Amino acid sequence: MKLARLFSLALLSGLLLLPACDGGGGGTDGGGGTPDGGDECTAGAETSCTEHFHCKARSVCEEDRGGTICNLADRGGDGMCTFESLAIPGSGDFEVPDVSCYATPATPAGPAMVNFRGCVDVFGLDLDTSGGLVVTVYRMSDGATGTPLGTATSDVDSAFTGLNCSNGGAFDLGAEVVPTNTTLIVKVTDATGEFADTYEYGVVLRADRAAADPAGLQAIEEPATVIAVSTYQVFPQTAGISAGIDGADDLTDGVGRAALAGTISACNRREMANIIVEIDGMDASRIVDSEAGVEGRLAFTDGNENPDVRRSATNIDGVFAAINIKAGTRTLTLKHTLNGTVETLATYTVPVFPDSVTLFSPQGALP
């Protein structure tokens, strides 16, 4: 549940349907030295580009705007970093991340049932979440229309011992009713109309993270995340999409498109770069669900919360976002380049709901 700190209004507004780089132009740098961004180069010949730039197959040097995330010599034929050479963020070193948990779900030891408590975080606009947001937890197998495991209403964080929340609101189910090592859906709703329905899918409370809470219950603290209606309606317009997300004019009628976003992490919960993310209904340009003049896009970031539609895989923050996509059960596929071959890391089916945001941040195979 790390997405709230990674997403900003700038990221969400920039991702939706920004024009893709056409790869044209070029020439040489005026000083006769090594080419820079937008200049011509030879595909596969990374030394023809300056540091922090790589040579794409379309023969244009493009900047690694999150910084150099792999050794130049380890880039594949298309100029992108290969999976086995990606960087450890902030360390300057390179390693192959541990992805063994994507083959076999982790089953850490600990209590079978816990209390669930934490902050209610907002991504986008910085709003107060202490005003009665409803946090509801479901088993993934039951879906978000099944019988809830527990429900809590947010209040000021000072009402909950040990919780200090950046958006002022916190929740506490108050009972050991949530199973650990189990795939969950966490839904946040708001009766006032200030926040859009937000679903966080694939949440797993690891048993080894349980500890006694102030009431003496075995508990796990994780934030629940929500998006403001104003953010949901405004961010596509700031990207030049005057109509916004299809159906966003009425977020209560259950008719409209939606968004799916998340962060890809290794087994140690560290974000992974160079993970290819695909969704059903996506074409080679990462346009999604193009129909009757309405379309969405799947895109990544520059590693610093800003959109980068030129990237074809995650940056060092591991973030992806599919904006203005159709609701329904979607198929999300993660791939990586290993030993020169693109291999599938994992495939998930993720429910996406109309007029809402679904957050899904894989950290391995789902239990």
Side-chain angles (χ1 to χ4, degrees):
M1 296 189 183
K2 297 178 284 187
L3 193 66
R5 67 180 174 82
L6 292 173
F7 270 92
S8 64
L9 181 59
L11 166 60
L12 289 170
S13 64
L15 284 177
L16 181 59
L17 302 179
L18 284 177
C21 177
D22 62 12
T28 59
D29 72 351
T34 307
D36 273 335
D39 291 325
E40 294 177 357
C41 62
T42 302
E46 286 79 7
T47 55
S48 65
C49 299
T50 57
E51 185 180 8
H52 299 299
F53 287 79
H54 62 268
C55 187
K56 293 287 287 183
R58 58 174 173 251
S59 298
V60 175
C61 297
E62 292 185 353
E63 184 179 8
D64 291 330
R65 295 196 294 178
T68 301
I69 59 174
C70 70
N71 295 306
L72 290 176
D74 291 334
R75 294 197 171 119
D78 67 350
M80 293 299 293
C81 300
T82 58
F83 177 77
E84 59 264 50
S85 64
L86 55 82
I88 306 169
S91 73
D93 295 325
F94 303 88
E95 71 172 3
V96 181
D98 177 13
V99 293
S100 59
C101 58
Y102 280 83
T104 304
T107 54
M113 303 293 289
V114 293
N115 181 30
F116 181 30
R117 66 199 303 263
C119 298
V120 181
D121 291 342
V122 179
F123 70 78
L125 299 178
D126 187 19
L127 299 175
D128 187 280
T129 59
S130 64
L133 294 171
V134 177
V135 179
T136 307
V137 184
Y138 305 87
R139 288 181 185 267
M140 184 275 290
S141 57
D142 294 337
T145 58
T147 302
L149 295 167
T151 300
T153 301
S154 71
D155 200 346
V156 293
D157 56 4
S158 59
F160 305 97
T161 303
L163 295 178
N164 183 15
C165 304
S166 59
N167 292 105
F171 70 96
D172 189 330
L173 296 187
E176 296 173 351
V177 293
V178 179
T180 58
N181 302 336
T182 302
T183 309
L184 308 170
I185 299 174
V186 179
K187 179 182 179 181
V188 183
T189 56
D190 172 37
T192 70
E194 186 175 16
F195 296 93
D197 289 351
T198 306
Y199 299 79
E200 190 148 14
Y201 168 82
V203 175
V204 178
L205 302 183
R206 293 173 52 97
D208 58 356
R209 299 188 61 246
D213 68 12
L217 301 173
Q218 287 294 305
I220 293 177
E221 293 183 5
E222 289 276 8
T225 304
V226 69
I227 181 173
V229 168
S230 52
T231 299
Y232 187 87
Q233 293 175 333
V234 167
F235 66 71
Q237 297 174 4
T238 63
I241 309 301
S242 59
I245 289 183
D246 193 46
D249 55 328
D250 186 348
L251 297 182
T252 63
D253 61 2
V255 178
R257 291 200 172 199
L260 168 64
T263 304
I264 313 299
S265 299
C267 300
N268 62 357
R269 306 185 77 180
R270 177 180 289 153
E271 297 89 344
M272 287 197 293
N274 307 314
I275 301 300
I276 301 164
V277 182
E278 298 176 351
I279 189 171
D280 61 294
M282 185 180 79
D283 66 16
S285 300
R286 294 187 297 283
I287 299 298
V288 185
D289 297 338
S290 180
E291 184 178 273
V294 180
E295 58 187 29
R297 174 179 289 277
L298 188 145
F300 308 99
T301 78
D302 64 356
N304 193 32
E305 298 190 356
N306 301 305
D308 187 351
V309 297
R310 301 175 303 180
R311 289 196 63 82
S312 57
T314 57
N315 212 308
I316 57 176
D317 56 12
V319 169
F320 74 94
I323 309 296
N324 203 31
I325 63 174
K326 291 181 178 179
T329 301
R330 308 307 301 256
T331 300
L332 198 70
T333 302
L334 310 184
K335 298 180 178 181
H336 60 160
T337 302
L338 187 62
N339 299 321
T341 303
V342 176
E343 299 181 354
T344 297
L345 182 62
T347 298
Y348 302 95
T349 54
V350 184
V352 175
F353 304 94
D355 297 333
S356 67
V357 176
T358 297
L359 306 178
F360 177 53
S361 297
Q363 296 179 17
L366 297 178

